[in-house]
Amino acid sequence: MNIVVCVKHVPDATADRKFESDNTVDREGVDGLLSELDEYAVEQALQLREKRSDEEISVTALTVGPAKAADAVRKALQMGADKGVHVSDDAIAGSDYLGTSLVLAKAIEKIGSEQKVDLVVFGMASTDASGGVVPAMVAERLGLPQVTLASVIESQGDQVRIKRDGDTATEVIGATLPIVLSVTDQSGEARYPSFKGIMAAKKKPVESYSLSDLGVEASEVGAEAAYSAVEEATARPPRTAGEIVTDEDGSGATALAEFLASKKFI
Amino acid sequence: MTMTEQQEGTTHAAFTESEERRELRQAVRRLAGTYGQEYFTRQARSGGKTTDLWLDLGKNGYLGVNIPEQYGGGGGGIGDVAAVCEELAAQGCPMLMMVVSPAICGTVIARFGTEEQKQRWLPGIADGTETMAFAITEPDAGSNSHKITTTARRDGDEWVLSGRKIYISGVDEAKNVLVIARTEDARSGKLKPCLFVVPTDAPGFEFQAIAMEMVSPEKQFTVFIDDVRLPGDALVGHEDAGLVQLFAGLNPERIMAASFATGLARFALDKATAYAKERTVFGDKPIGAHQAIAHPLAESHIEVELARLVTQKASALCDAGDDMGAGEAANMAKYAAGEAACRAVDRAIQTHGGNGATQEYGMAALLVASRVMRIAPVSREMILNFVAMHSLGLPKSY
């Protein structure tokens, strides 16, 4: 079985995130890492390989992004993925979801031209753009069923069954491979890369593709081709000091209730 | 430290750690961060243990990074296991047993154990399920390990061990203890050091906790060894090479202690600088804007960085097999790190003002642990003696 996990290199959410002058995310000037939500996708792919250890299962980590994005692939390799693919091309910068999904779909097709891809795994969304739509778009482009937002994944043969937790009900969805799957942060804690994994990752193969390798025209992607553009970005205002209710004469509870009522919490 | 990136001319090796070492640090930092000081002190104050964290480290392969791969380890060096120890402490989880189990016992057995001994002991040390303590210090010997009196005598195929040890870390959490004893030389009658693996549940083996002021789930023990019978293969390595074997474990011990101390110091400085950036007392400037606060923290940062550098040098020499060269650097590292840690914790407490003495801020909880780093595993005075004699060629003073 051939599994492709799509992973994204995102700016570290705990650091100071910035925009470039053209209002795209600054991906060079800040520390980046493998999107935490994508770690769950890597974990599920690895668990599937471990649960079906009697089969030959290969896990490929795929990323699209500038040079530093290779770190996301390496992290996935450290966790246990077998090989990596890094699509990098200056023309991709500023792509919207449609552009990104096109590049990913073409890359998955190229991976599949050597060995058929049975399963594409995504995290539920990226931690920077938070769109959560790319899995569906890639599924559409590949002509595959999309089975998204899975919290529990079970598989046997070519059958996959997932649980999707909604606000009012939990759905159980069955599908036949090949499919595009996205998993939530409830699907199981992602493993840490072991020391052996860190050392082994160095020797695992990582292929680099450019747009021309994928047969994608530069005009189809990038900021120019994007349907949406960020016009303006404003830094979040600094947190203001809260209101402190001092209770000296027993009126504290009333003051608290009044405050909550004024904000329509009660 | 990578020593492979030699540059042209007379310049030095690069002073950066390899990418893998840095990634190992990052991974450990993240895991340890999910536990943190709160977990560590809560366990310590409630009489609990840090077994969860220990086994988690083992499961992820961080405990046994220095153990050879064929015995369940990561196949790395002392520099790698020291990085794990430092990052744990830097997240508020200083683990003494890191120093003892993988670094001292793991190194000694991996280097001098028989094939059977390696297969028997190393996998459990690597995954944390069979932690091994280390017992050298004795009540009447102190820093003078030549006066060790714990004695092993032959009885047929077996050994019979008797003696007393003090300040032995984590005996209650260990399945076995690597005990330094002496055997009687058949020809000269002189006693020579030997290393034995002793199960903590062996008949005649008893231990008592020493009440310490240190806030740590890992306890210190007095150990009573009363005619403990051991199989012949409890002796690690060769009977006649005891001293060499012992010293092979002591460089890692000093490097690990130094890493424990610099990690502790980094933790204290991180907390202190975060506090100094937030805390405002006069006007709207944080206290960190005042040089009386900023300069001591900057000084400590420099001291810690210097100590880390010599620690990495000692690790690199040790991993390159230069035991003698590593000896001097490892002693210097332990000295520098102990001093730097004490000063860093002292300054972190001062930065916090009254809050520095509370349990909530966790700074005073570091006092004894940092102070111990000037004493153990070898006192600063003994290191100064060593440097005076061996580095400077001054006469022996004791």
Side-chain angles (χ1 to χ4, degrees):
Chain A
M1 192 194 292
N2 196 10
I3 303 176
V4 175
V5 190
C6 297
V7 293
K8 187 174 183 185
H9 191 251
V10 298
D12 187 346
T14 60
D16 225 1
R17 291 185 281 184
K18 296 186 197 72
F19 289 97
E20 304 256 31
S21 55
D22 64 355
N23 285 330
T24 56
V25 176
D26 178 2
R27 299 191 183 278
E28 292 294 330
V30 293
D31 284 339
L33 39 76
L34 167 61
S35 171
E36 281 184 35
L37 290 172
D38 293 346
E39 288 186 9
Y40 294 97
V42 177
E43 178 63 35
Q44 287 309 314
L46 297 176
Q47 281 193 19
L48 199 138
R49 189 184 64 190
E50 284 156 10
K51 280 180 200 153
R52 301 172 64 154
S53 56
D54 51 335
E55 296 171 51
E56 180 108 349
I57 296 179
S58 155
V59 176
T60 303
L62 164 66
T63 197
V64 177
K68 278 173 80 174
D71 287 354
V73 168
R74 199 173 56 244
K75 177 76 183 287
L77 296 177
Q78 290 173 350
M79 289 171 72
D82 301 295
K83 50 193 173 186
V85 172
H86 179 195
V87 184
S88 195
D89 201 305
D90 289 345
I92 300 173
S95 291
D96 60 2
Y97 298 123
L98 287 160
T100 304
S101 65
L102 175 67
V103 177
L104 282 170
K106 291 290 182 184
I108 293 163
E109 279 174 7
K110 187 170 168 63
I111 294 166
S113 67
E114 287 166 31
Q115 191 199 341
K116 184 175 159 262
V117 174
D118 305 281
L119 177 63
V120 180
V121 192
F122 281 90
M124 60 193 282
S126 64
T127 53
D128 53 354
S130 311
V133 295
V134 170
M137 289 180 173
V138 169
E140 179 64 22
R141 288 185 185 281
L142 294 173
L144 295 179
Q146 48 154 322
V147 180
T148 54
L149 303 176
S151 59
V152 177
I153 300 101
E154 288 165 354
S155 77
Q156 193 171 30
D158 63 353
Q159 295 300 304
V160 175
R161 205 163 64 158
I162 68 139
K163 268 189 190 162
R164 182 200 277 154
D165 301 318
D167 287 337
T168 52
T170 296
E171 297 169 281
V172 177
I173 299 166
T176 306
L177 294 176
I179 60 166
V180 172
L181 171 73
S182 83
V183 305
T184 71
D185 54 356
Q186 301 302 307
S187 56
E189 281 304 308
R191 69 196 62 194
Y192 294 91
S194 71
F195 181 65
K196 268 200 245 182
I198 291 171
M199 298 306 285
K202 220 182 169 183
K203 295 179 197 123
K204 291 177 178 172
V206 178
E207 273 193 83
S208 295
Y209 296 159
S210 66
L211 283 182
S212 62
D213 292 331
L214 302 180
V216 176
E217 294 295 328
S219 60
E220 295 176 86
V221 295
E224 286 298 310
Y227 282 74
S228 63
V230 178
E231 302 255 313
E232 196 179 358
T234 313
R236 184 184 296 172
R239 224 171 4 168
T240 50
E243 193 178 317
I244 295 172
V245 175
T246 317
D247 187 9
E248 281 166 352
D249 51 6
S251 66
T254 316
L256 270 179
E258 275 168 10
F259 173 81
L260 292 171
S262 75
K263 301 283 179 194
K264 302 207 184 328
F265 283 119
I266 54 174
Chain B
M1 189 177 347
T2 160
M3 286 291 181
T4 51
E5 294 170 53
Q6 291 287 345
Q7 295 164 4
E8 291 295 313
T10 58
T11 43
H12 234 266
F15 282 104
T16 48
E17 289 187 314
S18 67
E19 207 168 289
E20 288 76 18
R21 176 82 56 82
R22 278 178 281 158
E23 275 164 352
L24 171 66
R25 286 183 183 276
Q26 197 183 36
V28 174
R29 199 151 54 226
R30 208 172 139 194
L31 174 65
T34 64
Y35 289 84
Q37 192 195 23
E38 212 188 306
Y39 162 81
F40 188 84
T41 47
R42 188 176 59 237
Q43 296 305 96
R45 294 194 203 282
S46 66
K49 292 289 165 195
T50 36
T51 318
D52 299 345
L53 172 57
W54 186 253
L55 291 176
D56 219 355
L57 290 167
K59 192 184 77 188
N60 286 291
Y62 304 144
L63 265 189
V65 286
N66 62 313
I67 308 278
E69 276 190 70
Q70 64 266 43
Y71 306 110
I78 283 299
D80 296 310
V81 73
V84 175
C85 181
E86 185 187 344
E87 295 308 323
L88 278 167
Q91 291 300 316
C93 300
M95 308 285 278
L96 274 178
M97 294 312 281
M98 280 292 310
V99 180
V100 177
S101 189
I104 305 178
C105 299
T107 302
V108 169
I109 294 173
R111 281 184 66 173
F112 303 104
T114 62
E115 184 55 36
E116 288 73 27
Q117 286 170 332
K118 290 181 203 179
Q119 284 180 12
R120 171 66 192 87
W121 309 119
L122 292 179
I125 291 175
D127 70 11
T129 54
E130 289 202 359
T131 302
M132 195 176 283
F134 178 69
I136 178 167
T137 339
E138 295 190 0
D140 299 323
S143 295
N144 189 356
S145 43
H146 297 286
K147 274 177 66 185
I148 282 175
T149 56
T150 297
T151 311
R153 65 181 164 79
R154 279 248 186 224
D155 184 15
D157 289 343
E158 297 187 322
W159 292 97
V160 180
L161 205 61
S162 283
R164 203 171 143 201
K165 298 284 180 185
I166 195 164
Y167 298 120
I168 309 308
S169 305
V171 182
D172 57 337
E173 297 179 75
K175 286 253 164 70
N176 300 281
V177 186
L178 188 63
V179 175
I180 310 301
R182 335 198 67 161
T183 54
E184 197 172 280
D185 189 301
R187 286 163 298 169
S188 65
K190 265 176 69 176
L191 293 171
K192 51 192 185 176
C194 276
L195 293 79
F196 293 91
V197 176
V198 183
T200 49
D201 59 1
F205 185 94
E206 281 174 35
F207 49 96
Q208 257 172 27
I210 305 166
M212 303 288 283
E213 292 289 6
M214 188 153 67
V215 183
S216 171
E218 295 169 315
K219 304 295 176 204
Q220 299 293 312
F221 293 87
T222 306
V223 173
F224 305 90
I225 304 167
D226 196 8
D227 281 341
V228 172
R229 296 194 82 83
L230 299 168
D233 64 1
L235 174 76
V236 173
H238 203 271
E239 205 180 325
D240 292 323
L243 208 56
V244 177
Q245 293 167 186
L246 178 57
F247 284 152
L250 295 186
N251 282 338
E253 178 183 52
R254 282 151 178 63
I255 290 167
M256 292 296 280
S259 303
F260 179 100
T262 55
L264 207 66
R266 279 171 52 199
F267 177 76
L269 281 181
D270 282 351
K271 291 282 180 200
T273 45
Y275 187 81
K277 284 175 196 168
E278 293 272 318
R279 172 80 173 158
T280 310
V281 183
F282 297 104
D284 55 1
K285 272 191 188 168
I287 57 170
H290 305 305
Q291 292 182 339
I293 299 291
H295 281 186
L297 296 179
E299 259 187 284
S300 265
H301 181 67
I302 294 170
E303 289 165 10
V304 172
E305 200 50 36
L306 293 174
R308 296 184 70 217
L309 202 54
V310 72
T311 307
Q312 288 173 1
K313 175 183 173 179
S315 308
L317 289 169
C318 193
D319 287 331
D322 182 357
D323 283 350
M324 286 308 290
E328 185 188 44
N331 273 302
M332 289 179 172
K334 211 300 285 188
Y335 175 89
E339 301 300 313
C342 278
R343 279 160 66 98
V345 169
D346 184 57
R347 286 160 166 171
I349 291 174
Q350 196 67 20
T351 302
H352 279 81
N355 286 338
T358 62
Q359 291 198 350
E360 182 187 350
Y361 283 83
M363 290 296 101
L366 307 173
L367 260 178
V368 180
S370 61
R371 189 63 185 75
V372 162
M373 298 323 290
R374 296 173 85 194
I375 301 165
V378 52
S379 72
R380 62 193 295 283
E381 289 73 22
M382 287 307 290
I383 293 180
L384 293 173
N385 283 335
F386 177 90
V387 171
M389 264 176 68
H390 296 279
S391 307
L392 303 179
L394 292 168
K396 188 172 178 171
S397 60
Y398 57 95

